[in-house]
């Protein structure tokens, strides 16, 4: 098949044919000059009202006619750069996918380009029509155009596999068996897959075959998928990757979102959800850095706050001996007091929700030897645990099964208990500062007085060093995927560690961290952000990849002890302070048309209220 502007004797190089004659007409019948077969006849008589001649009419002839009035002669075509050629082909492929085949003809004709190599076009058509013998024959022609001729075997295997499955679906078992024995097996490629394919001979009906083979069945859908796989073995100069323009546009949008410091909404890979005419920018006014509510029900320092896993509740613990559970309105994002849990004589410095949010465990400061396990739904105390008056139970973490928890403190206690406070296991001599259970249900991470985080396995009683700092680790938390740990390190600030590679990833700047216990957190969609309290009365927020803060939230008047980001509502955050208040942070209350303006930099201070 001859592409427009290409002579029969030209080689297979897929560059624009710059010396092509403008007067060439498109090829007749169903085949288009771009080398592709039309999926639908767009009409033999195209309108020229818009000034564009119909397919088959020389665009240049019109130009010549109009130019003859001025006596001008036709100029030679502009020589396109490689980038221009690529863009023309990408546009052509996209238009072809939209069914605008006459437009593609005109574009290829006027530019002197061709969309893909004629051999690739022939191969595509034979695959889509299920003419497997012809498609297999086409591979010999394509072999000379490929960088890796050995890939022909893999392509042939994929073709024959489709041929075999289609025979089976049509009930042609003997023909399928012949393909398996005489065509697939002699390739001596992927014998394990051949054994699996042979098992499909036992399928009783086509539905069973499609289910077991995870295959769409004979037709356009499965053949299109096959073609996408086959294309990966062909150079893009021979056949463009499928939907290449959409892929590039999607990558551009994702890159812009990735670079957007304030992007805090669910990632949507669909191009329909964005405008391609503007760069992606999120306004800082859409970010949770404005005080929405100040909770003043505690009557002393508030040491801890934590949203429930489902995001519907917030628990706050205070020096005033109470825990207050708040309900989060999912629409207004306003918090309302739900329950007050009393009787924690030493105050409440740490809280942990059970995985299903049914229970809440409260721990006290260093001199507290007791632990309280509350049923949040009923407000009843299920367990009050104390192994010894000499204990110090200051930290706790739930096992993912919700039936066990670990607790410990700096006096050397490290216990695993059930919901009734019964001791299941203990680890002697570990002075625990903070705890976390990994999702494997076996490994417990514990920071200790030796400025390290170690992993402890209660099943086989093994332990290993994971993180080693040069200063005391006051607290730490772990990302949902268990890969990253966020540490508040005395006199150093907030550090991000990779637990798998056991390396320090980043040190975040700005926060004031002495020897107070301050709890930081991951937050936002995909946990792209990090927030921490500070001894300078501020809340600091960083993008995970940036060492400089993107927001400094003012309003508290004393040390901010803890920050918690709602895991379900990414625009909602809470902070607890020694000033006796809990602040709820959200986007600006009123967004105007200027909110989509670009950002001038990082490191701003959000006002208290607007």
């Amino acid at each position: 098949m001859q592409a427009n502007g290409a002579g029969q004797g030209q080689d297979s190089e897929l560059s624009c044919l710059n010396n092509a004659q403008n007067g060439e007409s498109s090829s007749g019948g169903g085949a288009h000059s771009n080398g592709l077969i039309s999926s639908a006849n767009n009409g033999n008589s195209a309108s020229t009202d818009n000034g564009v001649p119909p397919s088959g009419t020389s665009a240049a002839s019109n130009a010549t006619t109009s130019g003859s009035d001025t006596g001008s002669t036709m100029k030679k075509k502009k020589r396109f750069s490689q980038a221009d050629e690529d863009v023309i082909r990408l546009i052509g492929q996209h238009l072809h996918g939209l069914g605008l085949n006459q437009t593609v003809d005109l574009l290829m004709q006027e530019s002197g380009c061709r969309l893909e190599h004629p051999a690739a076009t022939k191969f595509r058509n034979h695959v889509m029509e299920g003419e497997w013998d012809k498609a297999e024959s086409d591979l010999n022609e394509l072999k000379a155009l490929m960088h890796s001729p050995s890939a022909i075997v893999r392509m042939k295997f994929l073709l024959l596999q489709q041929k075999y499955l289609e025979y089976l679906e049509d009930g042609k078992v003997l023909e399928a068996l012949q393909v398996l024995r005489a065509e697939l097996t002699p390739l001596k490629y992927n014998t394990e897959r051949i054994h699996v394919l042979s098992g499909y001979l036992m399928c009783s009906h086509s539905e069973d075959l499609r289910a077991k083979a995870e295959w769409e069945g004979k037709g356009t859908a499965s053949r299109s998928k096959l073609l996408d796989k086959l294309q990966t073995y062909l150079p893009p100069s021979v056949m463009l990757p499928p939907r290449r323009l959409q892929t590039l546009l999607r990558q551009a949008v994702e890159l812009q979102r990735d670079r957007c410091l304030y992007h805090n909404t669910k990632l949507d890979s669909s191009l329909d959800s964005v405008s391609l005419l503007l760069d992606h920018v999120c306004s800082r006014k859409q970010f949770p850095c404005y005080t929405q509510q100040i909770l003043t029900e505690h009557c002393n320092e508030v040491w801890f706050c934590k949203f429930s896993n489902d995001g519907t509740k917030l628990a706050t613990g205070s020096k005033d001996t109470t825990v207050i559970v708040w309900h989060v309105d999912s629409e207004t994002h306003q918090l309302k007091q739900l329950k007050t849990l009393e009787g924690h004589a030493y105050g409440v410095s740490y809280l942990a929700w059970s995985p299903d949010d049914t229970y809440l465990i409260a721990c006290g400061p260093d001199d507290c030897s007791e632990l309280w396990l509350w049923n949040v739904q009923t407000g009843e105390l299920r367990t009050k645990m104390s192994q010894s008056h000499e204990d110090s139970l200051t930290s706790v973490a739930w096992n993912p099964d919700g039936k066990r928890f670990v607790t410990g403190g700096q006096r050397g206690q490290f216990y695993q208990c059930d919901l009734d406070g019964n001791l299941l296991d203990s680890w002697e001599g570990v002075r625990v500062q903070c705890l976390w259970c990994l999702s494997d249900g076996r490994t417990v991470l514990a920071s200790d007085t030796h400025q390290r985080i170690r992993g402890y396995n209660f099943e086989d009683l093994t332990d290993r060093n994971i993180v080693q700092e040069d200063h005391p680790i006051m607290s730490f938390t772990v990302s949902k995927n268990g890969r990253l740990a966020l540490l508040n390190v005395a006199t150093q600030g907030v550090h991000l560690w990779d637990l798998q590679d056991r390396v320090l990833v980043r040190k975040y700047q700005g926060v004031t961290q002495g020897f107070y216990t301050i709890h930081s957190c991951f937050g936002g969609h995909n946990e792209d952000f990090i927030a921490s309290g500070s001894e300078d009365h501020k809340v600091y927020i960083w993008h995970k990849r940036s060492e400089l803060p993107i927001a400094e939230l003012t309003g508290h008047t004393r040390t901010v002890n803890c920050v918690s980001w709602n895991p379900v509502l990414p625009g909602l955050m809470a902070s607890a302070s020694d000033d006796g208040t809990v602040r709820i942070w959200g986007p600006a209350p009123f967004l105007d048309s200027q909110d989509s303006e670009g950002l001038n930099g990082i490191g701003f201070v959000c006002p208290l209220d607007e």
Side-chain angles (χ1 to χ4, degrees):
M1 187 177 293
Q2 182 179 340
N4 252 7
Q8 291 283 357
Q10 285 200 304
D11 60 48
S12 61
E13 183 67 21
L14 288 185
S15 61
C16 283
L17 309 178
N18 298 310
N19 58 351
Q21 296 301 309
N22 289 335
E24 290 189 36
S25 60
S26 72
S27 48
H32 285 266
S33 60
N34 57 44
L36 297 177
I37 298 298
S38 170
S39 57
N41 191 346
N42 291 335
N44 295 324
S45 57
S47 171
T48 60
D49 292 345
N50 57 7
V52 179
S55 178
T57 302
S58 170
S61 65
N62 288 349
T64 305
T65 303
S66 60
S68 63
D69 296 335
T70 61
S72 63
T73 58
M74 186 187 304
K75 295 182 179 179
K76 285 187 177 181
K77 284 197 176 215
K78 177 182 177 183
R79 183 174 294 275
F80 294 115
S81 67
Q82 184 61 52
D84 288 336
E85 295 175 17
D86 292 345
V87 170
I88 290 169
R89 293 181 65 207
L90 291 172
I91 293 172
Q93 183 194 45
H94 185 68
L95 293 175
H96 176 74
L98 297 175
L100 304 177
N101 296 305
Q102 290 184 354
T103 307
V104 178
D105 282 348
L106 203 58
L107 174 64
M108 296 300 130
Q109 179 177 309
E110 188 172 358
S111 66
C113 292
R114 62 185 177 195
L115 205 51
E116 59 185 20
H117 194 280
T121 302
K122 190 166 56 173
F123 179 63
R124 175 197 301 278
N125 296 332
H126 287 154
V127 170
M128 293 305 296
E129 291 162 10
E131 298 182 3
W132 306 117
D133 292 340
K134 291 181 179 179
E136 192 175 337
S137 176
D138 294 336
L139 288 178
N140 295 324
E141 192 174 347
L142 290 170
K143 186 175 183 179
L145 304 173
M146 295 172 62
H147 299 314
S148 173
S150 62
I152 288 290
V153 175
R154 295 191 284 273
M155 295 178 73
K156 189 173 182 180
F157 185 90
L158 291 172
L159 281 175
L160 293 173
Q161 176 179 253
Q162 179 81 10
K163 179 181 178 181
Y164 169 77
L165 292 172
E166 290 194 10
Y167 273 148
L168 279 183
E169 188 180 48
D170 290 340
K172 299 177 180 179
V173 180
L174 292 178
E175 288 88 340
L177 193 59
Q178 178 67 13
V179 171
L180 191 68
R181 288 176 175 174
E183 298 182 71
L184 275 168
T185 302
L187 290 177
K188 297 180 179 178
Y189 175 77
N190 203 348
T191 53
E192 186 177 338
R193 177 62 180 167
I194 290 176
H195 291 318
V196 173
L197 291 173
S198 64
Y200 298 152
L201 288 165
M202 307 304 294
C203 292
S204 55
H205 48 77
S206 57
E207 290 80 6
D208 187 27
L209 171 66
R210 288 194 291 268
K212 288 183 177 178
E214 297 179 352
W215 180 61
E216 293 81 358
K218 179 179 178 180
T220 304
S222 64
R223 290 173 183 175
S224 295
K225 266 192 173 181
L226 170 64
L227 201 58
D228 287 353
K229 291 179 182 177
L230 292 168
Q231 184 281 324
T232 60
Y233 297 104
L234 295 172
S237 58
V238 176
M239 181 187 286
L240 284 173
R243 298 168 293 280
R244 182 60 184 163
L245 183 59
Q246 293 99 314
T247 299
L248 290 173
L249 291 173
R250 191 175 297 111
Q251 289 173 352
V253 170
E254 289 174 356
L255 180 62
Q256 288 188 14
R257 283 174 174 166
D258 203 36
R259 290 181 174 177
C260 177
L261 291 174
Y262 301 97
H263 189 76
N264 191 28
T265 56
K266 186 176 182 180
L267 295 178
D268 187 349
S269 60
S270 170
L271 292 177
D272 296 332
S273 64
V274 298
S275 171
L276 298 177
L277 307 181
L278 294 170
D279 286 347
H280 172 85
V281 175
C282 289
S283 167
R284 69 188 187 191
K285 289 188 177 180
Q286 299 168 291
F287 205 69
C289 58
Y290 296 84
T291 300
Q292 289 195 162
Q293 198 175 354
I294 302 175
L295 310 179
T296 59
E297 278 69 11
H298 284 293
C299 57
N300 209 325
E301 298 173 359
V302 186
W303 289 339
F304 200 83
C305 62
K306 184 71 173 177
F307 280 105
S308 58
N309 299 295
D310 63 8
T312 63
K313 292 179 283 292
L314 174 72
T316 57
S318 170
K319 188 178 179 181
D320 67 8
T321 75
T322 68
V323 172
I324 299 180
V325 179
W326 311 81
H327 172 71
V328 180
D329 189 300
S330 60
E331 294 183 2
T332 66
H333 296 183
Q334 291 291 299
L335 274 69
K336 183 178 179 182
Q337 187 170 345
L338 194 64
K339 287 183 175 68
T340 301
L341 311 176
E342 301 176 331
H344 310 86
Y346 295 91
V348 178
S349 61
Y350 196 84
L351 295 164
W353 291 90
S354 63
D356 63 0
D357 295 325
T358 300
Y359 298 105
L360 182 68
I361 295 180
C363 296
D366 289 344
D367 50 358
C368 180
S369 62
E370 298 174 324
L371 173 148
W372 293 261
L373 193 155
W374 296 90
N375 185 317
V376 180
Q377 296 173 349
T378 64
E380 296 176 352
L381 180 64
R382 169 159 179 170
T383 305
K384 183 179 179 181
M385 174 189 144
S386 178
Q387 292 294 323
S388 166
H389 292 296
E390 301 299 320
D391 284 357
S392 172
L393 303 182
T394 58
S395 185
V396 67
W398 285 89
N399 189 285
D401 64 12
K403 299 175 181 178
R404 296 169 288 163
F405 61 86
V406 290
T407 183
Q410 290 197 16
R411 295 180 183 172
Q413 295 77 38
F414 188 10
Y415 305 132
Q416 181 169 226
C417 308
D418 62 18
L419 296 182
D420 295 317
N422 298 314
L423 191 63
L424 302 177
D425 296 289
S426 66
W427 210 291
E428 297 296 331
V430 181
R431 298 180 181 274
V432 173
Q433 177 72 23
C434 194
L435 293 166
W436 193 274
C437 287
L438 294 184
S439 58
D440 62 11
R442 299 186 303 273
T443 307
V444 178
L445 302 183
S447 61
D448 57 29
T449 53
H450 296 285
Q451 306 167 4
R452 63 189 181 183
I453 295 177
R454 292 179 65 79
Y456 297 87
N457 189 317
F458 275 95
E459 291 185 3
D460 57 17
L461 298 180
T462 58
D463 61 323
R464 58 194 174 98
N465 207 43
I466 297 177
V467 170
Q468 181 67 60
E469 283 279 1
D470 295 327
H471 298 81
I473 300 170
M474 307 308 294
S475 69
F476 76 93
T477 187
V478 177
S479 60
K480 289 179 181 177
N481 62 12
R483 178 70 186 262
L484 300 173
L486 194 61
L487 284 60
N488 284 73
V489 183
T491 72
Q492 301 301 300
V494 181
H495 292 179
L496 183 68
W497 280 78
D498 186 316
L499 295 177
Q500 183 173 312
D501 295 337
R502 304 185 192 182
V503 294
L504 176 62
V505 177
R506 197 159 284 113
K507 296 180 179 181
Y508 297 101
Q509 301 179 23
V511 68
T512 303
Q513 169 80 62
F515 287 89
Y516 284 107
T517 299
I518 293 176
H519 300 272
S520 56
C521 69
F522 293 95
H525 266 298
N526 303 310
E527 294 192 323
D528 284 333
F529 302 98
I530 285 166
S532 178
S534 175
E535 293 180 22
D536 63 4
H537 314 164
K538 296 177 184 177
V539 174
Y540 287 82
I541 302 177
W542 300 267
H543 195 286
K544 195 162 57 179
R545 297 187 314 273
S546 176
E547 293 182 359
L548 296 174
I550 62 172
E552 300 173 19
L553 314 188
T554 61
H556 286 295
T557 58
R558 293 182 63 188
T559 295
V560 181
N561 299 307
C562 184
V563 180
S564 179
W565 210 305
N566 192 298
V568 177
L569 303 172
L572 198 64
M573 189 172 63
S575 59
S577 170
D578 281 348
D579 64 12
T581 69
V582 175
R583 282 183 175 258
I584 307 301
W585 306 89
F590 301 105
L591 298 176
D592 54 43
S593 59
Q594 296 180 341
D595 291 339
S596 60
E597 291 181 358
L599 307 175
N600 295 322
I602 60 176
F604 65 93
V605 179
C606 288
L608 173 58
D609 287 300
E610 288 193 351

